[in-house]
Amino acid sequence: MTLKRRDFLKKAGVGAAAAAGAATLAAPAVHGANKTIKWRMQTYAGPALAEHVIKPAIDAFNKAANGEMEIELYFADQLVPTGELFRAMQNGTIDAVQSDDDSIAAPVDVSVFGGYFPFACRYSLDVPVLFNQYGLNEIWEEAYGEIEGVKWLSAGAWDPCHFATVDPINSLEDLKGKRVFTFPTAGRFLTRFGVVPVTLPWEDIEVAMQTGELDGIAWSGITEDYTVGWADVTNYFLTNNISGAWCGSFFANEDRWNEVPEHLKTLFKLCMDSSHYYRQHWYWGGEAQLRTQGTKMKLTSIPDEEWKTVEDEAMKFWDEIAEQSDRSARVVKILKEYQATMAKAGKPYRYS
């Protein structure tokens, strides 16, 4: 877990030895009928967050695999910068990834819907319903089926997206000029309200807040703010969110996935589901508990009538994204149909 990036690159080979090193690194993980299959997997999450969002599932997999397969888990930017994860997985430098499509720069049109697509969902349960009952599973499989070398495996719902800031946010005017660490598509949307998106390595965020390089974070809910230490370097938590849940996925190098026996594929799928399930209750309970019992951050809110401006602008943003490709248009159509169904269903599906 303490492997440094430069040491990793030395082992992989550089300069004239790069090709040979890469070939060795990317060699099939199966070397014989009785040999353990070994994977390197990197998550988007830093160590403290990974203890909740991925490590328990991988530990369970390694235990249940009973020596037939072992997954070595690495944290955010430990082997490869998050923005390069897709390419590293595609070329076999690493074997599997847990992240959102947006952050790893997945070269598919649906990548904008990964991470925090503004107001695509209200609650965490919306994401698995959209994928399993409204056709997003098939669309994601179709999109990644056009890309060589990577297998998209599963999507799940993670935490909502709120602002954690040094200064209080009580109006849209307060957002103007704020330098905020956030996700690519979320940042693109938030520029409409004067936010300045900043991209930094995950491990540098806490220091950047302390030095004043950042004014805030729009990367998570309050559970993560407390878990990873961001609540220690911010003073305020905005209760309005730009998305009710993050959409994140598991991916694997296609060749490595094809080498895995069916029973271990099934085991890995079950462990992915256990990870998704843990997030459902960990975030849901944590968000409420820390809003009411947390002592490190003061809650602020933008009035509903003013926040509606942001929600209305998101619908314009959706339509712009729909124009980018036929598949994007299909996703937006599904999102709109789902929103209408939830609104018509009323409480408890939608309260307004």
Side-chain angles (χ1 to χ4, degrees):
M1 291 302 178
T2 58
L3 183 66
K4 301 296 184 183
R5 190 182 305 153
R6 60 177 176 271
D7 297 328
F8 174 74
L9 292 174
K10 285 178 183 177
K11 291 182 180 180
V14 294
T24 301
L25 197 59
V30 182
H31 299 287
N34 298 319
K35 295 293 184 180
T36 300
I37 301 170
K38 291 197 174 184
W39 272 14
R40 294 167 300 274
M41 179 179 192
Q42 184 169 309
T43 176
Y44 74 98
L49 182 59
E51 284 292 332
H52 290 276
V53 302
I54 182 62
K55 191 174 183 296
I58 298 305
D59 288 347
F61 176 87
N62 287 338
K63 183 176 181 179
N66 198 31
E68 294 184 62
M69 184 169 173
E70 180 181 353
I71 298 175
E72 298 173 353
L73 180 64
Y74 296 90
F75 305 136
D77 305 306
Q78 196 170 14
L79 299 181
V80 183
T82 296
E84 299 174 17
L85 275 175
F86 188 92
R87 296 302 182 191
M89 175 173 50
Q90 190 175 42
N91 65 32
T93 302
I94 54 178
D95 303 301
V97 166
Q98 180 209 34
S99 184
D100 63 284
D101 322 59
D102 200 21
S103 296
I104 65 174
V108 292
D109 46 11
V110 297
S111 66
V112 296
F113 302 104
Y116 290 121
F117 191 64
F119 300 101
C121 58
R122 181 72 62 88
Y123 307 119
S124 58
L125 275 175
D126 291 338
V127 175
V129 172
L130 282 162
F131 273 84
N132 292 290
Q133 297 184 25
Y134 279 73
L136 293 194
N137 270 334
E138 291 74 15
I139 291 177
W140 257 244
E141 288 171 352
E142 173 190 300
Y144 283 96
E146 298 171 359
I147 306 296
E148 292 186 4
V150 169
K151 174 69 174 176
W152 173 80
L153 298 174
S154 176
W158 303 350
D159 56 333
C161 184
H162 292 260
F163 285 88
T165 55
V166 174
D167 297 321
I169 304 296
N170 294 299
S171 68
L172 293 181
E173 185 68 24
D174 292 336
L175 290 174
K176 291 182 178 179
K178 292 292 188 291
R179 295 160 298 175
V180 175
F181 172 64
T182 189
F183 292 84
T185 299
R188 175 179 164 189
F189 173 68
L190 290 171
T191 59
R192 300 179 180 217
F193 304 95
V195 171
V196 180
V198 178
T199 301
L200 291 170
W202 190 93
E203 61 193 13
D204 294 342
I205 302 309
E206 188 170 346
V207 173
M209 291 297 305
Q210 293 172 311
T211 60
E213 185 178 355
L214 288 173
D215 300 306
I217 302 161
W219 202 84
S220 68
I222 199 169
T223 308
E224 286 192 17
D225 290 336
Y226 273 77
T227 301
V228 306
W230 293 341
D232 298 323
V233 294
T234 55
N235 301 318
Y236 298 93
F237 179 84
L238 182 65
T239 60
N240 311 77
N241 66 49
I242 64 166
S243 180
W246 190 30
C247 175
S249 292
F250 286 84
F251 308 82
N253 174 279
E254 190 169 25
D255 289 339
R256 298 294 85 78
W257 179 253
N258 290 339
E259 292 164 357
V260 175
E262 287 301 319
H263 69 288
L264 291 178
K265 287 181 180 177
T266 298
L267 177 61
F268 190 69
K269 290 175 181 177
L270 291 171
C271 287
M272 288 189 292
D273 285 344
S274 75
S275 174
H276 296 326
Y277 172 70
Y278 181 88
R279 288 171 175 272
Q280 289 279 343
H281 64 77
W282 185 57
Y283 285 125
W284 186 256
E287 298 299 300
Q289 182 183 38
L290 289 170
R291 282 194 190 197
T292 57
Q293 300 177 33
T295 59
K296 296 180 180 180
M297 306 171 79
K298 295 181 180 178
L299 304 184
T300 65
S301 298
I302 295 175
D304 290 344
E305 58 273 17
E306 187 176 359
W307 192 248
K308 190 175 185 304
T309 303
V310 184
E311 296 176 344
D312 291 344
E313 191 65 28
M315 298 303 101
K316 299 176 186 177
F317 184 73
W318 285 20
D319 290 337
E320 292 170 14
I321 295 298
E323 294 175 357
Q324 294 183 359
S325 72
D326 173 69
R327 189 154 46 219
S328 293
R330 286 157 53 199
V331 174
V332 169
K333 183 174 183 290
I334 288 172
L335 292 178
K336 288 183 176 181
E337 290 174 350
Y338 181 75
Q339 294 265 21
T341 299
M342 295 295 106
K344 187 176 181 179
K347 300 176 181 179
Y349 298 95
R350 293 294 185 268
Y351 283 83
S352 61

